[in-house]
Amino acid sequence: MDPKISRRSFLKGTLAAAGVAGMSALPLPKSARAAGGQELATLIDIRKCIGCEACVEACKDVNAPKFPEPEKPYPKMYPSRVKVEDWSDKRYTSDRLTPYNWVFIQNATVKMKGEERTLHVPRRCMHCQNPPCADLCPWGAAFKLKNGITRINSDVCLGGSKCKDVCPWHIPQRQTGVGLYLDLLPAFAGNGVMYKCDRCYNRIEEGELPACIEICPQNVQQIGPREEILQKAHQIAKEINGYIYGEKENGGTNTIYVSPVPFQELNRAIEKGPGKPHLKPVENTMEHADNLAKAMVIAPFAGIAAAVGKIYKTIKDTGNSEAGHDENR
Amino acid sequence: MMKTADTQVIAQPGRKIIFRLYTLTWIVLAFTGFGQMPIFKRYYISDIPGMAWSADFFATHYIHYLGAVLLLGLIAFAAVDYLVLDRRRYRLSGAGLVRIALLAGIVVTGVFRVLKNLPDIVFSPGATMFIDIAHLGFMMLYLLAVLCFAFTRSGWLVPRSGGL
């Protein structure tokens, strides 16, 4: 797979939109429309990653202006079970996800064709198609863009960490001492701001590639319309007799991994824990809610039907009662 | 004690069950609605024996949706019931109209919130936040109004002149 083609097709799409819009800086929905009205997905070919961490560094450099600069000392929190989460002195940590590290490399030593081999897996937000972090955020601080990027608005986030709890991979990470909560009830509500990969939404707006994709010397990643990316993923998987992760996980994500070994094996081999997401199968977390939403369409009709039944019974009873009166006269 | 139009209407067969169901639905909706904010674990509510589920955001979300299903059904039932059976004898009071206006606000913003949560439906960040805050705002106003109306004993209905 020639990565230049991916870049070319991606740029071609955004430039086409620019032509239509007559603007050099593209608003995101236009970018999404440029991609055939589809969400943009990234393809991560695990075979190609050498673990050089160029993506990790590029992400840090490009997104540094978005990183938190907390005010110290932090407000005392009530109740005391609310703990400060401070990464500001550990901002160069690169072996896990933190508010200052939105992508990192997981290493997995696995057996391939009888030989031990170490595979490297770049990990960051999966950008789910139906993201529970955005669906369940009570403030709208987390949201999904039409082009398939899930973002957290750091100006609005109160750092309640709900997005991290409901994320099947617990991706977003919290930094205390920054954000809107300081102006509200710093001791009693909120605890900072949640941070995670925003897939360089601002670079995409300008028709540029996300930093991690652009910098990669091995062309591990590609970006494009999801359908196209999935086709490529299946093609590679077929060629190498490999495996795909992200197509169906959590109902489908916009980060698609292709691996020469099963993801169960990779999951066993990687280090897991806080800031180090698993690679297990994930059911569609929003599916039950979506089904209940359908029930909401039926509910008013059921209510009307019940009322009509009651009215019919009332009229019938009144008629019988009046007939009884007539007979007694 | 003087009977209000509401108590007369509620006293009709079957209405008491509907009224109780409506009240229970609101208790569930209000509790699980507040549970959408990450406060139950922080403030030890989920530590109360039997309340561990309240810290599970998916559980409170599903229950909130179930409450919404019930509420929509009850509103449709009550609207048809009133329009066909009670409208000639009772009219909506001022308090009833305020309740309906706030309910409409809650329902409309709730519907948009549910739509936003469906796959393939994306609202702008500004619209999403407006819907979220408006939904919470209408709910707070509704609760406040219900408390005030309970204090002033203002029901939903008043008899039409000559109706009783």
Side-chain angles (χ1 to χ4, degrees):
Chain A
M1 198 65 49
D2 183 357
K4 281 179 186 166
I5 290 171
S6 168
R7 184 188 162 107
R8 193 187 306 141
S9 67
F10 171 72
L11 291 176
K12 199 173 101 185
T14 47
L15 286 172
V20 173
M23 296 189 297
S24 55
L26 293 171
L28 280 171
K30 298 275 186 202
S31 306
R33 275 202 292 277
Q38 282 186 54
E39 294 178 358
L40 295 171
T42 49
L43 171 59
I44 302 178
D45 189 342
I46 292 169
R47 293 172 307 162
K48 293 183 177 177
C49 184
I50 55 170
C52 69
E53 295 192 347
C55 55
V56 180
E57 292 308 314
C59 176
K60 271 187 190 293
D61 289 346
V62 161
N63 292 307
K66 301 173 191 167
F67 290 160
E69 294 301 336
E71 295 171 22
K72 292 182 185 179
Y74 300 130
K76 188 165 170 53
M77 307 293 277
Y78 296 98
S80 58
R81 70 161 46 172
V82 183
K83 302 292 179 207
V84 160
E85 283 189 59
D86 183 14
W87 287 94
S88 61
D89 296 330
K90 297 174 278 179
R91 60 177 73 199
Y92 298 107
T93 302
S94 61
D95 64 347
R96 58 162 286 173
L97 297 172
T98 78
Y100 301 88
N101 199 57
W102 300 351
V103 58
F104 80 108
I105 308 289
Q106 277 178 318
N107 301 315
T109 303
V110 291
K111 273 204 168 171
M112 277 176 68
K113 295 174 186 167
E115 280 181 28
E116 271 201 347
R117 184 178 156 188
T118 299
L119 292 168
H120 309 282
V121 192
R123 299 304 304 277
R124 54 160 173 72
C125 175
M126 298 291 286
H127 296 283
C128 303
Q129 291 200 287
N130 199 19
C133 60
D135 288 346
L136 301 182
C137 175
W139 303 108
F143 54 90
K144 186 184 147 182
L145 300 172
K146 283 183 181 170
N147 64 3
I149 294 175
T150 302
R151 278 186 59 200
I152 297 172
N153 183 347
S154 55
D155 292 336
V156 176
C157 178
L158 297 175
S161 198
K162 183 181 179 182
C163 54
K164 183 182 174 183
D165 287 349
V166 299
C167 170
W169 296 275
H170 308 301
I171 300 278
Q173 301 292 316
R174 174 161 60 194
Q175 173 62 46
T176 298
V178 62
L180 187 61
Y181 90 111
L182 293 172
D183 300 324
L184 299 174
L185 295 166
F188 301 103
N191 190 5
V193 171
M194 308 303 294
Y195 292 90
K196 68 168 193 69
C197 158
D198 60 16
R199 216 169 60 187
C200 291
Y201 74 94
N202 45 331
R203 288 172 64 88
I204 287 185
E205 274 178 22
E206 287 160 16
E208 292 175 27
L209 288 170
C212 58
I213 299 182
E214 190 176 72
I215 198 77
C216 181
Q218 298 299 114
N219 298 312
V220 171
Q221 290 196 59
Q222 301 175 48
I223 188 166
R226 190 170 191 269
E227 225 166 78
E228 196 182 296
I229 286 295
L230 270 177
Q231 267 179 9
K232 286 178 183 173
H234 278 281
Q235 198 181 322
I236 297 170
K238 200 176 165 189
E239 281 166 18
I240 65 170
N241 205 15
Y243 303 84
I244 293 173
Y245 189 80
E247 182 179 10
K248 295 193 170 70
E249 275 63 32
N250 200 24
T253 74
N254 285 319
T255 300
I256 310 292
Y257 288 98
V258 184
S259 160
V261 294
F263 282 90
Q264 296 97 301
E265 235 171 274
L266 284 176
N267 186 53
R268 270 196 295 272
I270 56 173
E271 197 181 326
K272 296 172 287 290
K276 296 179 178 178
H278 65 81
L279 279 166
K280 288 190 285 192
V282 174
E283 285 184 15
N284 186 353
T285 50
M286 293 306 295
E287 193 177 17
H288 298 309
D290 294 343
N291 289 334
L292 281 170
K294 287 172 198 156
M296 282 182 213
V297 179
I298 302 164
F301 295 104
I304 291 168
V308 168
K310 190 203 155 190
I311 292 160
Y312 174 74
K313 190 174 176 294
T314 307
I315 292 168
K316 201 176 152 192
D317 290 350
T318 312
N320 287 344
S321 162
E322 280 171 4
H325 282 302
D326 289 345
E327 280 170 20
N328 291 335
R329 273 178 195 162
Chain B
M1 199 175 84
M2 198 183 78
K3 275 191 173 181
T4 64
D6 271 358
T7 52
Q8 285 164 3
V9 173
I10 290 164
Q12 292 171 29
R15 292 265 170 89
K16 202 173 263 185
I17 296 168
I18 296 291
F19 185 74
R20 283 179 182 166
L21 201 57
Y22 181 74
T23 308
L24 180 71
T25 303
W26 269 113
I27 292 167
V28 168
L29 278 170
F31 185 78
T32 53
F34 282 114
Q36 299 308 301
M37 293 181 273
I39 53 175
F40 288 167
K41 189 176 178 187
R42 179 170 181 155
Y43 288 105
Y44 300 93
I45 305 293
S46 60
D47 289 1
I48 299 167
M51 293 300 287
W53 62 272
S54 67
D56 180 336
F57 294 120
F58 284 108
T60 52
H61 190 238
Y62 297 152
I63 297 168
H64 197 69
Y65 267 28
L66 277 171
V69 169
L70 208 54
L71 181 72
L72 289 171
L74 285 169
I75 288 174
F77 178 89
V80 174
D81 195 29
Y82 168 74
L83 290 171
V84 177
L85 291 181
D86 293 324
R87 192 163 53 104
R88 267 168 285 177
R89 290 203 298 160
Y90 303 98
R91 64 176 174 81
L92 285 163
S93 65
L97 289 170
V98 169
R99 282 181 172 104
I100 287 172
L102 294 175
L103 257 180
I106 293 169
V107 170
V108 169
T109 51
V111 166
F112 276 103
R113 190 67 168 86
V114 170
L115 283 174
K116 195 227 82 166
N117 284 355
L118 290 173
D120 306 325
I121 297 183
V122 179
F123 289 169
S124 73
T128 304
M129 197 180 303
F130 174 77
I131 291 163
D132 282 353
I133 293 170
H135 192 61
L136 181 68
F138 278 122
M139 175 65 184
M140 300 291 273
L141 285 174
Y142 187 76
L143 285 180
L144 196 68
V146 166
L147 279 174
C148 289
F149 296 149
F151 185 70
T152 58
R153 291 177 173 271
S154 308
W156 285 76
L157 304 173
V158 285
R160 288 188 189 277
S161 47
L164 278 173

